[in-house]
Amino acid sequence: PTDTTNYKTATGTVAIDVLDTVAPTATITVAENQWKTALNSITFGLFFKNTQTVTIISVDNEHGSGVKTVEYIVADAAVTDFASVQWTEYNGAFSINPDNKYVIYAKVTDNDGNSITVNSDGMIVDATKPAVENITNDGVYYGDLEITVTDALAGVKELKVDSTSVTMTDGKYIITADNEQHTVLVTDNVGNEMSYTITVYKNYTVTYKADGNVVTTKTVGHGLKPDLAVVIPYKQGYDETAPYWAIDDV
């Protein structure tokens, strides 16, 4: 300045502390899937057979204060009250194992207190095969057979009988008795499979008659002998040891 009496020239360095108001970023990765935002709606549409690795990558902005903490939550459903859950410090990749449902939450905070929370979609890790109730492998059954197909975690994707995909009603299907062997294959949404070989025989109605009158009827499976212990009405000259009987298909 020209006024050297009231103004002096000084040389030096001035430190300016710029407050960081921008939140860092976070990325959750599982297999080929990545999430960088908070999802409002959770759907359990991702399926895995085996243990999966979860990684969380955190980055602060270029001129930010730097990442201070990275924390995560492993839940089995959407978290609606974060005050009631415990965050865990992230120290590196971790695993999610069969057999369970998972939603991963990550929270990254920088040194100025800015934070971001992101979460994965719902995932199912299922290593358990589906099952068919009411039957066992190599089982033999008589009469039309109703089977119930179940898979508690991933859900049933398909039922095949003799290599043909069939339609179930409320998880049930009826195999019509035909005196034949059948293969039953059920697959869940992860790809786990369970196979059965069974035989479903017809039932027959055995009608006992004496002198043209019906005495009783019995249901007998194909290839089985009927129980002949029936009371035959007495008639003079009638041979009770050899009653007349007839078989009708059910």
Side-chain angles (χ1 to χ4, degrees):
T2 57
D3 183 359
T4 56
T5 301
N6 297 305
Y7 296 95
K8 302 277 185 191
T9 298
T11 302
T13 301
V14 177
I16 301 175
D17 186 11
V18 179
L19 181 64
D20 179 8
T21 60
V22 180
T25 63
T27 303
I28 301 171
T29 302
V30 178
E32 303 300 321
N33 306 281
Q34 290 189 335
W35 299 273
K36 299 182 180 182
T37 59
L39 302 181
N40 294 322
S41 177
I42 301 297
T43 61
F44 286 89
L46 289 174
F47 300 98
F48 303 98
K49 272 188 180 183
N50 305 312
T51 297
Q52 297 296 306
T53 300
V54 181
T55 58
I56 301 172
I57 303 299
S58 57
V59 179
D60 202 11
N61 62 85
E62 183 179 359
H63 302 291
S65 58
V67 173
K68 181 179 181 181
T69 60
V70 181
E71 302 167 290
Y72 69 94
I73 297 170
V74 178
D76 60 5
V79 175
T80 56
D81 181 11
F82 288 98
S84 64
V85 295
Q86 181 68 44
W87 291 92
T88 301
E89 181 181 0
Y90 179 75
N91 292 311
F94 58 91
S95 297
I96 52 175
N97 302 309
D99 290 288
N100 211 339
K101 294 183 176 181
Y102 296 96
V103 182
I104 309 299
Y105 289 84
K107 182 172 70 172
V108 179
T109 306
D110 67 17
N111 285 292
D112 275 336
N114 304 300
S115 66
I116 185 174
T117 300
V118 305
N119 63 274
S120 72
D121 203 350
M123 298 171 283
I124 295 176
V125 186
D126 184 5
T128 301
K129 295 180 179 181
V132 179
E133 296 179 1
N134 312 327
I135 65 173
T136 58
N137 193 42
D138 295 325
V140 175
Y141 305 92
Y142 294 90
D144 292 348
L145 177 65
E146 182 180 76
I147 59 176
T148 302
V149 183
T150 61
D151 189 277
L153 197 55
V156 174
K157 179 180 181 180
E158 185 180 40
L159 172 66
K160 287 186 176 181
V161 178
D162 300 327
S163 300
T164 300
S165 183
V166 299
T167 300
M168 295 171 284
T169 301
D170 297 328
K172 299 180 184 296
Y173 181 76
I174 296 177
I175 300 175
T176 302
D178 57 1
N179 301 335
E180 299 290 343
Q181 189 177 79
H182 299 278
T183 58
V184 177
L185 176 66
V186 57
T187 306
D188 68 14
N189 284 298
V190 179
N192 299 307
E193 294 182 342
M194 190 65 182
S195 179
Y196 304 81
T197 299
I198 61 173
T199 304
V200 185
Y201 287 122
K202 292 182 179 181
N203 277 329
Y204 297 88
T205 298
V206 179
T207 302
Y208 296 85
K209 293 183 179 180
D211 203 22
N213 299 315
V214 175
V215 176
T216 190
T217 60
K218 290 185 180 294
T219 300
V220 180
H222 173 80
L224 300 179
K225 293 182 178 180
D227 179 8
L228 296 178
V230 292
V231 177
I232 305 299
Y234 174 77
K235 184 177 181 180
Q236 187 174 4
Y238 185 77
D239 184 359
E240 294 185 11
T241 63
Y244 168 77
W245 52 276
I247 298 180
D248 301 309
D249 201 348
V250 172

